[in-house]
Amino acid sequence: MAILEIENISKSFDRTKVLKDISFNVEQGQVTSIIGSSGSGKTTLLRCLNFLERPDGGIIRVNNEVLFDANDPETYKESTIRTKRLHFGLVFQSFNLFPQYTAKKNVMLAKELLAKATPEYKERKKEIHEEIEHQAEMLLIQMGLKDRMNNYPHQLSGGQCQRVAIARALALEPDILCFDEPTSALDPELTGEVLKVIKGLADKRTTMIIVTHEMAFAKEVSNQVIFMDDGYILEQGTPEQVFDNPQMERTKHFLARAHITE
């Protein structure tokens, strides 16, 4: 069953068309990797899914609920954007942690802000805080950061910062976890740390969309691979179909330059 349905999404900046009629589905528990050269529209697509950018056209559905329809202005009111973002957890390539907060506080912050807006917060403030703190601790332990919870971002390696960012995204229990080039700012050793965590999430059937340049990793963990070029989806299918038997010349050229290894 499709948890995410994207139909005919388009996006332009001034006169430059960045996304051109993008359509695909993501199944529950599926890992979808999006590959392609720089400037192909991959990051813009993720930003549209997370409502950091508003598409010019198309429809976005999650669990059969229409989150965005370019023909229905009611679906892109600013007052509903925060709620719609909760369907997606986004892990940025540059971590985007708050430097003034510890790792644990970074993970807790969004959930605490949401809790404060609930009717029961005043009565259950201490209990709610303890619940959120416990969840943050469990997530950081899952990320292998048990002894780093009270460290600040400047006291952590890049790989550790990215694992905090993953824990922060998971804290809101999103339907779909999105990664935007999660290892591009890391050296090879730290890249391995983060990819191991993402693979662990894949093994637990976490629904994920991963924009990545790590081709061997995408081939290993994905159920679906999408190749984008110049704002279009040129090819999509299983890892075996896209990596081992690409149909488009542009896909073949890209993969040849990427040096996919078994």
Side-chain angles (χ1 to χ4, degrees), residues 205-241:
R205 297 189 59 79
T206 303
T207 307
M208 293 186 281
I209 300 174
I210 306 172
V211 169
T212 183
H213 61 273
E214 299 286 343
M215 298 296 109
F217 176 74
K219 185 176 181 180
E220 179 185 2
V221 304
S222 303
N223 306 102
Q224 174 178 226
V225 177
I226 292 171
F227 173 67
M228 289 184 64
D229 185 63
D230 192 30
Y232 291 101
I233 291 178
L234 285 194
E235 198 151 356
Q236 67 185 94
T238 66
E240 291 77 18
Q241 289 170 328

Side-chain angles (χ1 to χ4, degrees), residues 69-82:
D69 182 344
N71 294 318
D72 181 3
E74 289 293 315
T75 65
Y76 46 90
K77 284 184 174 179
E78 286 297 322
S79 58
T80 67
I81 292 301
R82 177 180 289 185

Side-chain angles (χ1 to χ4, degrees), residues 235 240-248 251-252 255:
E235 198 151 356
E240 291 77 18
Q241 289 170 328
V242 174
F243 287 118
D244 297 336
N245 191 30
Q247 301 300 300
M248 305 293 291
T251 314
K252 294 176 184 177
L255 293 175

